[in-house]
Amino acid sequence: MKIISFLLPFLGLAFVKSDETYFKEEFSDDGWTERWVQSEHKSDFGVFKLTAGKFYNDAEKDKGVQTSQDAKFYMMSSMFEKPVSNEDKTFVIQFQVKHEQKIDCGGGYLKLFPSSLDQKDMHGETPYNIMFGPDICGPGTKKVHVIFNYKGKNLLINKDIRCKDDELTHLYTLIVKPDNTYIVKIDNEKVESGELEKDWSFLAPKMIKDPDAKKPEDWDDNEKMDDPEDVKPEDWEQAEHIADPDAEKPEDWDDEMDGEWEPPMIDNPDYKGEWKPRQIDNPNYSGKWVHPEIENPDYEDDAYLYRYKDTGAVGIDLWQVKSGTIFDNILITDSEDLASTYAEDTWAVTKEGEKKMKDELDAEEKKKREEEDAKLKEEADDDEEEDEAEHEHEEEEEEEEKYEEEDEEDHDHDEL
């Protein structure tokens, strides 16, 4: 055992394995307002409120912080108990998001910051280590952001990971490993994975096109060529349109007034299209020229792409057009197993009861809408019947007035 301990510092792949929780927030009580700091960088940031939302499995256990004002930026953060380094360790970010407002445009992601974060001055340009989570804006943007800050630049993933866009609670997990690989999970199921170097532009390319290489002037990369012995037939008709032979000059056409008469044009039935010589194999074909590559002198390998020596805060920094998103059960740890178990103890326990309650609410709302529609239709029918009755009454009155006028005229005539 002493020999293994002695060798660990010299083994680049001897990763440290533990089950340490760096940060956990369940928003289980009003004390969350003391653990989280609202930024004062601007005076009009949106306000979070503690709630389980409109549908849930447990009214108390399922409480989280919810965006509560439309068309607002939201900006708050919470510090770790102490700064952490993920060197030689797995690093896991996991949290729940529920867009119960039928979100149209807004984020649902978290940011991890260095421990030097000035919480009260936090803003959209504040440097961060990692940004992870769903982002939705219209039908065109429904993706999971995975952004790493590397040497001062925020690097977006080169893949498209689709996020969930319904109104239920979903679990998002990012696992970053010390062998420079990663895994993204949604609802505790893997949806993407790969290598950091391949899926982000951390490093310059290993190989580049040789700047001194040029395609030889006599290089022929045309696989086919025109047959020099092929000749266009003498009867090849090129005109696509011809004058209508059946058209006749109108009898009332006046050349002086209307100009010289010309027959209308019609499609030429003998038109065969533009003539082109047939193609044959090019005897001088050299193949497709491939630009030679050389090793990139600017390429520098980095075995620590995954590493952040100082992470000490988690923050919510986002914009929402329509508010109503709930964040809950935030976990930052070095253990995949611990994160998976926590997911089963929280999100997995909640999902069925939450969906059942939502389905019941949806059924009630549908029934209410149908009753309201039926009531409106009944009122409309009643109004139509009243209008018809009033119209009939007006017609009867008009008829009576007409008869009275006719009687008066007859009476006047008799007197005369």
Side-chain angles (χ1 to χ4, degrees):
M1 186 66 182
K2 290 182 179 179
I3 295 175
I4 296 176
S5 300
F6 174 78
L7 289 174
L8 275 175
F10 303 99
L11 297 176
L13 298 178
F15 306 134
V16 178
K17 180 176 175 59
S18 65
D19 291 327
E20 186 175 356
T21 297
Y22 303 131
F23 181 91
K24 183 164 74 171
E25 177 61 81
E26 297 180 338
F27 300 105
S28 56
D29 54 61
D30 291 331
W32 73 272
T33 56
E34 298 177 2
R35 298 186 294 271
W36 290 77
V37 175
Q38 178 89 353
S39 174
E40 298 175 2
H41 183 79
K42 290 176 63 179
S43 60
D44 60 347
F45 284 135
V47 176
F48 287 92
K49 66 178 183 180
L50 186 67
T51 178
K54 295 180 291 187
F55 45 87
Y56 42 79
N57 180 63
D58 187 297
E60 291 300 319
K61 292 182 179 180
D62 294 347
K63 283 183 177 180
V65 287
Q66 182 182 51
T67 57
S68 64
Q69 297 169 290
D70 294 345
K72 288 284 187 179
F73 285 99
Y74 290 85
M75 198 77 58
M76 71 173 187
S77 62
S78 182
M79 303 298 293
F80 292 12
E81 288 186 4
K82 60 181 181 179
V84 300
S85 169
N86 68 325
E87 184 168 352
D88 296 335
K89 297 179 181 179
T90 294
F91 196 64
V92 184
I93 306 169
Q94 182 170 280
F95 63 100
Q96 293 176 194
V97 178
K98 177 167 67 167
H99 295 306
E100 70 172 22
Q101 76 274 42
K102 295 182 180 178
I103 190 168
D104 50 358
C105 189
Y109 38 79
L110 299 182
K111 288 183 176 180
L112 295 190
F113 297 89
S115 61
S116 58
L117 172 69
D118 183 347
Q119 292 181 273
K120 290 190 175 182
D121 192 46
M122 174 181 160
H123 53 87
E125 299 302 316
T126 300
Y128 60 87
N129 292 345
I130 300 174
M131 178 174 136
F132 171 62
D135 187 21
I136 295 173
C137 197
T141 301
K142 295 182 180 181
K143 62 183 178 182
V144 178
H145 280 301
V146 188
I147 303 177
F148 293 106
N149 183 283
Y150 184 72
K151 295 183 178 180
K153 294 183 178 180
N154 295 328
L155 307 178
L156 281 68
I157 189 170
N158 299 327
K159 293 179 177 178
D160 184 22
I161 307 175
R162 188 174 178 84
C163 67
K164 300 291 185 179
D165 61 354
D166 57 41
E167 300 163 60
L168 298 171
T169 296
H170 292 286
L171 181 77
Y172 289 86
T173 307
L174 171 63
I175 303 166
V176 182
K177 299 185 178 184
D179 61 355
N180 281 328
T181 62
Y182 73 97
I183 297 173
V184 174
K185 292 182 177 182
I186 299 179
D187 296 343
N188 219 18
E189 296 289 336
K190 183 171 71 173
V191 295
E192 192 56 82
S193 63
E195 299 178 20
L196 298 181
E197 185 174 351
K198 289 184 177 180
D199 294 344
W200 283 264
S201 301
F202 282 97
L203 308 176
K206 290 183 179 181
M207 304 295 292
I208 60 172
K209 291 180 178 180
D210 184 351
D212 296 327
K214 295 181 180 179
K215 183 169 68 172
E217 293 183 1
D218 60 350
W219 189 280
D220 192 339
D221 51 11
N222 294 309
E223 187 174 354
K224 297 289 184 178
M225 60 174 286
D226 294 345
D227 185 351
E229 297 180 0
D230 191 18
V231 180
K232 183 173 69 173
E234 294 181 359
D235 62 346
W236 191 276
E237 180 60 63
Q238 292 192 33
E240 185 175 356
H241 301 95
I242 60 173
D244 185 353
D246 297 327
E248 296 180 357
K249 180 179 178 181
E251 294 180 0
D252 59 349
W253 187 275
D254 188 329
D255 288 343
E256 293 183 359
M257 296 292 294
D258 302 324
E260 182 181 356
W261 181 81
E262 294 181 358
M265 303 298 286
I266 61 172
D267 292 340
N268 184 354
D270 297 325
Y271 177 64
K272 301 176 182 179
E274 181 184 357
W275 183 84
K276 295 180 180 180
R278 63 173 171 266
Q279 297 290 290
I280 61 173
D281 291 338
N282 181 359
N284 298 318
Y285 177 57
S286 306
K288 295 296 181 183
W289 188 77
V290 178
H291 200 125
E293 291 188 335
I294 60 172
E295 291 184 0
N296 184 357
D298 296 327
Y299 174 78
E300 293 182 11
D301 192 15
D302 187 349
Y304 295 99
L305 298 177
Y306 72 93
R307 183 181 64 184
Y308 292 94
K309 291 183 177 181
D310 174 21
T311 301
V314 58
I316 301 176
D317 162 16
L318 46 87
W319 160 265
Q320 290 199 334
V321 174
K322 187 188 294 184
S323 62
T325 297
I326 298 176
F327 293 85
D328 197 11
N329 294 328
I330 302 173
L331 177 69
I332 315 297
T333 179
D334 64 359
S335 171
E336 288 184 65
D337 293 339
L338 190 152
S340 183
T341 299
Y342 186 66
E344 292 299 320
D345 293 340
T346 52
W347 171 79
V349 172
T350 297
K351 62 177 183 177
E352 291 185 5
E354 178 188 79
K355 187 176 187 308
K356 180 181 178 182
M357 184 174 182
K358 183 183 183 304
D359 290 343
E360 291 172 351
L361 287 174
D362 288 347
E364 290 177 7
E365 290 179 3
K366 181 180 179 182
K367 182 180 178 182
K368 185 178 180 180
R369 286 196 304 269
E370 290 174 348
E371 290 175 349
E372 290 176 350
D373 291 343
K375 184 178 179 181
L376 291 172
K377 186 177 184 303
E378 184 178 346
E379 291 175 352
D381 292 342
D382 290 343
D383 290 342
E384 186 176 347
E385 290 177 1
E386 290 178 3
D387 291 342
E388 290 179 356
E390 185 176 348
H391 182 67
E392 291 177 359
H393 180 67
E394 290 175 351
E395 288 182 341
E396 291 175 357
E397 288 182 341
E398 290 176 357
E399 288 292 329
E400 289 178 1
E401 291 176 359
K402 182 179 179 182
Y403 291 146
E404 289 176 358
E405 290 175 357
E406 290 177 352
D407 288 343
E408 289 179 1
E409 290 177 358
D410 293 341
H411 178 69
D412 292 343
H413 180 75
D414 292 341
E415 287 182 350
L416 291 173

